[in-house]
Amino acid sequence: MAYPTGSDIKVVLLESAAVKTATADMYADAVIDAAQMIADALTQGGKLMLCGNGGSAGDAQHIAAEFVATLDHRRPRGGLAALALTTDTSFITAYANDFGFEGIFQRQVEALGREGDVLLGISTSGNSANVAAAMDSARGSGIKTIGFTGEGGGKLAPLSDMLFAVPSGKTMHIQEAHIALGHVLTMAVEQILGY
């Protein structure tokens, strides 16, 4: 295995930038529509729920934190109701042990979600069974759905009221674009709500 060079690193970073540029070209206007969907839910007493696995679980928690805390600490505001369904290890391990991993997010949507809420499902492949189950359950309960996936959208495509399918097949670049989308989505919600 060859030791990496600065040129190797530059290629990867430029690929990442190209994916984000393509994502911006495809979805800049759609981010505003998704932000309006979330802002409407929040102003009506609803909340944003988020779920994903692995790095996408981390992204769900990261985006939820931006909503509940603030995107920029230099512009403080009240907290916005957001909940990452990836954080309750006691529930996740109990439910997965007794009933299987596929239902860990669906059960939380059923127990905690209400009509008028929004669920953001994150899956780089678009095929995570537990995210798809949660999205399907949400739609059947009057909960709006937003999908963050990689190219094609996978199983989440038909389950998403709004789909952001990042135009890449490389997991790391998809995840980098997802967190950028999460940041601009938070920013847009803040601006719609007058912060």
Side-chain angles (χ1 to χ4, degrees), residues 36-120:
Q36 187 67 61
M37 179 191 296
I38 294 167
D40 289 346
L42 295 174
T43 57
Q44 295 167 19
K47 64 187 165 297
L48 173 64
M49 298 177 289
L50 306 96
C51 63
N53 297 289
S56 297
D59 290 345
Q61 292 167 219
H62 183 155
I63 296 165
E66 303 292 14
F67 274 82
V68 176
T70 188
L71 184 61
D72 183 345
H73 72 277
R74 296 168 298 184
R75 295 179 53 237
R77 55 150 171 84
L80 302 175
L83 175 65
L85 304 179
T86 56
T87 58
D88 187 342
T89 54
S90 294
F91 163 75
I92 290 170
T93 55
Y95 190 89
N97 185 61
D98 292 343
F99 303 106
F101 194 66
E102 188 170 316
I104 62 167
F105 301 135
Q106 178 182 14
R107 183 57 160 257
Q108 292 181 84
V109 168
E110 292 168 355
L112 304 172
R114 298 291 177 262
E115 185 173 355
D117 288 345
V118 177
L119 174 65
L120 172 54

Side-chain angles (χ1 to χ4, degrees), residues 27 35 45 54 78 83 92-93 96 102 111 123-124 136 139 162 166 168 194:
Y27 295 117
L83 175 65
I92 290 170
T93 55
E102 188 170 316
S123 170
T124 57
D136 188 47
R139 292 190 84 192
M162 297 199 67
V166 171
S168 176

Side-chain angles (χ1 to χ4, degrees), residues 53 102 119 121-137 139 145-165:
N53 297 289
E102 188 170 316
L119 174 65
I122 309 172
S123 170
T124 57
S125 68
N127 294 318
S128 297
N130 56 7
V131 176
M135 298 279 275
D136 188 47
S137 181
R139 292 190 84 192
T145 57
I146 299 171
F148 277 13
T149 71
E151 61 189 356
K155 293 177 182 175
L156 294 193
L159 299 172
S160 300
D161 293 311
M162 297 199 67
L163 178 68
F164 295 84

